[in-house]
Amino acid sequence: MTEVSGAVTAYLTEHLGMQPQKASVTFLGVEPIDVLRFQTDSGLVYVTSGCARHPMSDPSDFNPDPVRGPRAEIVVRMQSGVALPGLHKRLATVAAAPAVEGLILAADALIDLGEPLWDGSACTALVLEPDDLGAVPLPEPMDPVTLLRAIPITANEAAWVRLKGVDALREAWTEAAIDVTSPTRSAASL
């Protein structure tokens, strides 16, 4: 299903207006996951490519549909100017989770990595929401690829999401005027 990854890359290149830098991460038993990095006027945009090769399915389904079903890729938007070493590896790990663990990526999901999202980061988890880039159309009968924005959050913020829900965290960010694209941001006061 390299055509799906190619369609994702072409869609992003067209919509962001530039060619990406690319890092490839390989996991045992899973096709390589690429992480594309775009330097835009508004900052850095990282997007996985490879998660959507196959539809996501419930791991208890012993006969999943190989063509139809939800597909997704992860988008992270950050301010430029600060190095984010290791971010591509952690994103590739999240993108491989549907194939490895049967995780279904969807809006408002909380994904706790249990380790810094990039070396030295206070953020150890992600919350997902639809990204402004929309969805990548694929030929019928395949479902389109949903582009989900992954917002890095701290362990305290992840605990807040578990307790109060992701909307309460978004409200706290708004009230505190927190820029979630800042790699050095502080956690919301919860």
Side-chain angles (χ1 to χ4, degrees), residues 49-128:
S49 178
C51 178
R53 281 188 193 108
H54 307 284
M56 295 178 283
S57 61
D58 185 323
S60 64
D61 184 354
F62 292 111
N63 192 21
D65 190 322
V67 177
R68 294 179 186 88
R71 297 172 190 261
E73 295 290 355
I74 301 296
V75 179
V76 172
R77 297 173 178 272
M78 301 300 290
Q79 293 176 359
S80 49
V82 175
L84 304 170
L87 176 60
H88 69 287
K89 292 177 186 172
R90 280 28 164 256
L91 291 180
T93 300
V94 172
V100 174
E101 300 173 10
L103 178 68
I104 295 180
L105 303 174
D108 293 338
L110 168 67
I111 300 171
D112 197 334
L113 285 96
E115 65 177 332
L117 192 54
W118 58 87
D119 299 349
S121 172
C123 297
T124 59
L126 301 163
V127 290
L128 303 180

Side-chain angles (χ1 to χ4, degrees), residues 11-91:
Y11 179 89
L12 294 167
T13 300
E14 179 182 336
H15 280 75
L16 295 172
M18 67 192 65
Q19 291 293 322
Q21 296 175 324
K22 180 173 82 169
S24 188
V25 181
T26 304
F27 300 94
L28 185 62
V30 179
E31 297 161 286
I33 302 289
D34 292 333
V35 178
L36 309 175
R37 181 180 179 266
F38 297 87
Q39 174 70 56
T40 68
D41 293 338
S42 60
L44 298 172
V45 179
Y46 292 83
V47 187
T48 62
S49 178
C51 178
R53 281 188 193 108
H54 307 284
M56 295 178 283
S57 61
D58 185 323
S60 64
D61 184 354
F62 292 111
N63 192 21
D65 190 322
V67 177
R68 294 179 186 88
R71 297 172 190 261
E73 295 290 355
I74 301 296
V75 179
V76 172
R77 297 173 178 272
M78 301 300 290
Q79 293 176 359
S80 49
V82 175
L84 304 170
L87 176 60
H88 69 287
K89 292 177 186 172
R90 280 28 164 256
L91 291 180

